[in-house]
Amino acid sequence: MDVRPNSDEARDIAYHFHSYTNAEAHEKIGPLIIESGEGIHVTDSNGNRYIEGMSGLWSVAVGFNEQRLVDVASRQMQKLPYYHNFSHRSHGPAIDLAEKLIEIAPVPMSKVFYTNSGSEANDTIVKMVWYRSNALGKPEKKKIISRLRGYHGVTVAAASMTGLPYNHKSFDLPMEGILHTTCPHYWREGQDGESEEAFASRCAQDLDDMIQSEGPETVAAFIAEPVMGAGGVVVPPATYWEKIQAVLAKYDILLITDEVICGFGRTGNMFGSTTFDIKPDILTMSKQITSSYFPFSAFMINDRVYQPIADESGRIGVLGHGYTGGGHPVGAAVALENIKIIEERDLVANAAERGAELQAGLTDLTSHPLVGEARGIGLIGALELIAPEGKSGDFAPGKLGAQMNAIMLRNGLISRNMTDAMAFCPPLIVGANDVREIIQITKKSLEELAADINGAA
């Protein structure tokens, strides 16, 4: 990138410390500056228009210029721009949203707790699980099991539950008491001759073995995404969730479903828990809850979780936890309107219908020699790239993905490579023609990637 002195790009390099970025490389490369958005498209500062194939960060359900969300935020700003929920205080949007979330929950839930991001929500859940165990007189029951390649955020506890190496390296994580069991990726982790169901049984047995090894009396909860997102869009094998839940029930271990990506329609149901018949005790929400128009998150808990916590707060005198911006009135108002739009426009059904088209298109691309696997459900999918035959030693992990990502961007489609898996997660408003264009650009980009590799040979 040609960075002019005192340009926006130069000032970004000078002053802005970026998330999930190679800071040293950024000093040389500079940023892609996005200036505007419309529907499923965004436009950069040079006038280049892209399909936002990742919905920003898996999160913009209703597109990038939904006037109803702008208007409801403005009205709420004028009426009550801020208030909190400490010390028995409340406000209308927080109450209305909590009621709505309990109404649409995939299983019976008792209460909603508000936070500001998925990371904060999952971090808070860890504290609540510990608090509950103490309330039940089980101070040893504190360990939480996550999964390798799972993603649950970046705060200290949330990043510990995340099962990705870059979230641990040089951060001195994971912290003690957080464990990681088998990643349920059949294509990569399945053994020769092992059926999908047999692999699911092995995953459940691995979990059971870990619980037995640690001591069932020390394990409090298991956390997982219905479909793994940042770990590579990993769809669980058939019977996986049925078998995992049976193990948890055997040892009285809480189930936390992280619906930060899957929630609000992404998998073709309002929640991924419904798609896979999961019955969580705790459910985390963020991203699509406001289409990311406002930073906002929450989690729901059932009465089995809530009541001991409430009792303990009564014994102590207060629940000593909360956030200044938790349940922010503007965010809550935006979330309510966003959910209303999703329901009124039947975007969950659109995710199922367009999602089937997306999955079929990705599957068709598996005939390309650089594609190892297509996977996904609803409007979330991935293509796993593989090196040309006989050349695997020439490609370090992530090299193919980075090359493909750059080519797709050049061709007008924003994706995200998780190592060598290219992710697809367009807004829920995506149309049939849009899906065809996404597949066409991806196919064209694969051909250009193959040409680049052959030209460099």
Side-chain angles (χ1 to χ4, degrees):
M1 179 178 290
D2 182 19
V3 177
R4 294 173 288 107
N6 206 37
S7 64
D8 287 347
E9 290 83 359
R11 293 187 299 113
D12 184 271
I13 291 169
Y15 304 116
H16 187 182
F17 190 15
H18 283 252
S19 308
Y20 272 93
T21 301
N22 181 327
E24 185 179 53
H26 188 73
E27 294 173 3
K28 302 177 181 68
I29 298 169
L32 172 68
I33 299 175
I34 300 300
E35 285 203 340
S36 63
E38 181 179 8
I40 69 165
H41 294 88
V42 294
T43 302
D44 71 19
S45 55
N46 294 312
N48 300 307
R49 194 165 183 253
Y50 309 90
I51 294 175
E52 226 311 348
M54 286 301 299
S55 298
L57 281 174
W58 322 83
S59 56
V60 181
V62 300
F64 286 86
N65 65 327
E66 178 50 63
Q67 191 61 42
R68 282 172 59 177
L69 297 190
V70 176
D71 291 343
V72 77
S74 177
R75 288 194 300 270
Q76 187 59 48
M77 279 280 189
Q78 292 168 355
K79 182 179 181 181
L80 181 68
Y82 168 71
Y83 214 69
H84 61 85
N85 63 4
F86 286 35
S87 304
H88 308 285
R89 305 296 192 270
S90 196
H91 51 77
I95 298 167
D96 293 344
L97 179 60
E99 182 178 31
K100 180 64 178 177
L101 292 173
I102 295 295
E103 174 194 317
I104 66 174
V107 294
M109 288 289 179
S110 178
K111 299 292 184 293
V112 172
F113 191 96
Y114 293 118
T115 51
N116 301 292
S117 70
S119 296
E120 279 188 5
N122 285 329
D123 205 275
T124 296
I125 286 167
V126 171
K127 290 182 67 178
M128 295 295 183
V129 167
W130 292 347
Y131 196 91
R132 175 182 181 270
S133 289
N134 289 331
L136 293 172
K138 299 178 179 180
E140 74 287 349
K141 197 173 180 67
K142 299 286 175 64
K143 294 173 186 173
I144 296 176
I145 299 176
S146 181
R147 301 180 296 181
L148 295 168
R149 290 172 58 191
Y151 188 86
H152 302 292
V154 296
T155 53
V156 171
S160 294
M161 293 188 294
T162 291
L164 296 167
Y166 285 127
N167 296 99
H168 296 164
K169 287 180 179 178
S170 297
F171 289 117
D172 294 339
L173 296 174
M175 65 187 202
E176 188 177 351
I178 305 294
L179 310 167
H180 295 88
T181 189
T182 309
C183 172
H185 189 182
Y186 176 60
W187 180 75
R188 187 172 291 281
E189 306 295 339
Q191 298 171 352
D192 290 343
E194 186 176 42
S195 70
E196 192 170 323
E197 186 167 348
F199 173 61
S201 296
R202 179 159 61 86
C203 289
Q205 189 60 54
D206 288 348
L207 176 62
D208 197 309
D209 291 346
M210 177 175 281
I211 293 167
Q212 288 277 20
S213 175
E214 295 293 326
E217 72 284 356
T218 71
V219 180
F222 174 80
I223 184 169
E225 305 150 274
V227 174
M228 284 182 164
V233 187
V234 176
V235 181
T239 72
Y240 173 82
W241 274 112
E242 173 190 341
K243 291 170 178 174
I244 289 294
Q245 290 180 96
V247 172
L248 301 177
K250 181 165 65 169
Y251 297 112
D252 190 29
I253 292 170
L254 297 174
L255 173 56
I256 306 161
T257 55
D258 184 334
E259 295 259 12
V260 169
I261 288 176
C262 295
F264 304 98
R266 181 56 57 187
T267 65
N269 287 291
M270 185 61 80
F271 291 100
S273 294
T274 300
T275 301
F276 296 99
D277 194 24
I278 307 169
K279 296 175 173 58
D281 297 291
I282 305 172
L283 188 151
T284 316
M285 302 163 283
S286 189
K287 293 189 185 291
Q288 288 196 155
I289 194 171
T290 62
S291 282
S292 287
Y293 279 47
F294 197 92
F296 200 87
S297 64
F299 60 85
M300 293 187 278
I301 55 178
N302 62 19
D303 206 55
R304 176 188 178 204
V305 177
Y306 168 73
Q307 204 57 61
I309 294 172
D311 292 346
E312 185 72 356
S313 74
R315 186 184 71 80
I316 295 171
V318 67
L319 176 69
H321 184 86
Y323 299 95
T324 301
H328 195 290
V330 178
V334 170
L336 276 165
E337 189 69 11
N338 181 68
I339 295 169
K340 187 181 295 185
I341 291 169
I342 289 171
E343 291 180 329
E344 287 177 2
R345 298 179 187 170
D346 208 4
L347 295 184
V348 177
N350 191 63
E353 292 167 14
R354 302 288 80 77
E357 295 162 3
L358 176 67
Q359 303 308 327
L362 294 176
T363 299
D364 285 346
L365 295 176
T366 57
S367 60
H368 195 283
L370 292 180
V371 177
E373 184 192 32
R375 53 185 182 264
I377 187 169
L379 280 176
I380 181 170
L383 281 182
E384 184 91 18
L385 304 182
I386 55 174
E389 190 173 352
K391 294 187 177 181
S392 58
D394 298 339
F395 294 90
K399 183 178 179 181
L400 276 174
Q403 286 181 245
M404 181 67 170
N405 200 43
I407 293 170
M408 291 172 77
L409 185 69
R410 187 175 71 215
N411 288 329
L413 174 60
I414 293 175
S415 178
R416 181 182 178 187
N417 65 295
M418 286 93 55
T419 311
D420 290 314
M422 307 307 302
F424 300 85
C425 187
L428 301 188
I429 61 169
V430 69
N433 288 338
D434 301 321
V435 171
R436 281 192 286 273
E437 187 175 2
I438 289 169
I439 297 300
Q440 288 166 1
I441 292 174
T442 305
K443 183 178 181 180
K444 179 176 185 285
S445 300
L446 280 168
E447 292 166 353
E448 292 179 14
L449 176 60
D452 287 350
I453 291 169
N454 292 331

